[in-house]
Amino acid sequence: MNASLVDTLDWPKGDGLLPLIVQHAHDGRVLMLGYVNRDALETTLRTNEVHFWSRSRQRLWKKGESSGNVLTLVSIAPDCDRDALLAQALPQGPTCHLGTPTCFDGTRPAHPWLNELEALVAARKGADASTSYVAGLLAAPVARRAQKVGEEGVETALAAATGDLDGLRGEAADLVFHLLVLLRGSGLSLADVVGELARRHRG
C-alpha cells in the first residue's frame, strides 16, 4: 500500500518535490509545511517518523533530528491531484524551531474555547479550595469527581428523554465540564480522549 502511494504521486509536476502539510492528529492544528522527495516519503512511511527533503541543505532531514521533537506519523494521504500530501502526526514537543507548538500561529488550538476551558481547569489545581469549586473537586478523592460525572450524565439523559432541549444543552455543558475535571484529576486530557476516538476510527 505504501509503495502504491509513492508510485502514484505526480512527482514530475514539482520537479521531484511535493509539499507535505503536517496536521496534529488529535486536535487538527496545522503544525508545519515542508517538502518531500521520493526518498523522504519512503523513509517516513518506513520509520513512522516524518522526514523531509531540505532544499537549503540538499539532504534528507528528519524533523526533530537535533531537537528530539520528532513528528510520529499517524496517517498520510495525497490530495485529489496527487501533487500534495497531508500527514497527520503526533508531535513529541514543539514543532516550530522558535519553540512554539506550530509554525503558523504558535499557540491557537483547533477548538479555542474548549482548550481554554481545559487550561483554566488545570490552572485551578492547587488553588484555595474554599473559594474555587474546581480546586475543591481536584483536591477531593477521585470518587467525588466520578460521582459528579455520573450525576450530570443522568441529568443529561433525562433531559434528552423528556425532550427538554434547553435542559439538554445545559446539562450536556455541565457533563463536559465535569468530565474535563475528572480527566485532569486523573492525569489525562481531552487530547487523550480524541486520540482514542481516532484510533478506534482507524481500526
Side-chain angles (χ1 to χ4, degrees), residues 123-165:
R124 293 292 188 272
K125 188 173 184 179
D128 185 352
S130 67
T131 59
S132 170
Y133 174 69
V134 173
L137 281 178
L138 290 173
V142 65
R144 175 58 179 156
R145 296 188 292 276
Q147 178 187 5
K148 288 301 298 181
V149 170
E151 291 173 358
E152 300 300 344
V154 170
E155 291 172 3
T156 299
L158 287 173
T162 58
D164 179 5
L165 296 185

Side-chain angles (χ1 to χ4, degrees), residues 17-24 29-37 40 50-57 61-63 71 76-77 79 83-89 95-97 100-106:
L17 291 178
L18 298 181
L20 172 63
I21 300 165
V22 183
Q23 182 182 32
H24 197 300
R29 281 176 293 176
V30 176
L31 299 175
M32 68 174 293
L33 167 69
Y35 290 84
V36 293
N37 60 5
V50 179
H51 288 68
F52 298 96
W53 175 256
S54 173
R55 294 172 297 168
S56 59
R57 289 171 282 185
W61 166 58
K62 181 175 83 169
K63 178 68 182 75
L71 293 168
I76 192 165
D79 73 343
D83 60 1
L85 293 158
L86 174 66
Q88 291 195 332
T95 297
C96 183
H97 70 284
T100 52
T102 87
C103 293
F104 294 92
D105 57 13

Side-chain angles (χ1 to χ4, degrees), residues 1-69:
M1 181 176 179
N2 289 346
S4 175
L5 169 65
V6 175
D7 292 338
T8 60
L9 297 174
D10 192 352
W11 297 105
K13 190 170 183 177
D15 294 326
L17 291 178
L18 298 181
L20 172 63
I21 300 165
V22 183
Q23 182 182 32
H24 197 300
H26 285 177
D27 64 29
R29 281 176 293 176
V30 176
L31 299 175
M32 68 174 293
L33 167 69
Y35 290 84
V36 293
N37 60 5
R38 180 181 288 266
D39 187 26
L41 180 56
E42 289 175 341
T43 303
T44 295
L45 294 171
R46 185 177 70 254
T47 64
N48 284 325
E49 293 181 330
V50 179
H51 288 68
F52 298 96
W53 175 256
S54 173
R55 294 172 297 168
S56 59
R57 289 171 282 185
Q58 288 293 294
R59 69 171 181 86
L60 189 69
W61 166 58
K62 181 175 83 169
K63 178 68 182 75
E65 64 185 13
S66 57
S67 67
N69 299 329

Side-chain angles (χ1 to χ4, degrees), residues 110-130:
H111 309 289
W113 170 237
L114 203 51
N115 283 271
E116 287 175 23
L117 178 59
E118 187 173 39
L120 285 172
V121 168
R124 293 292 188 272
K125 188 173 184 179
D128 185 352
S130 67

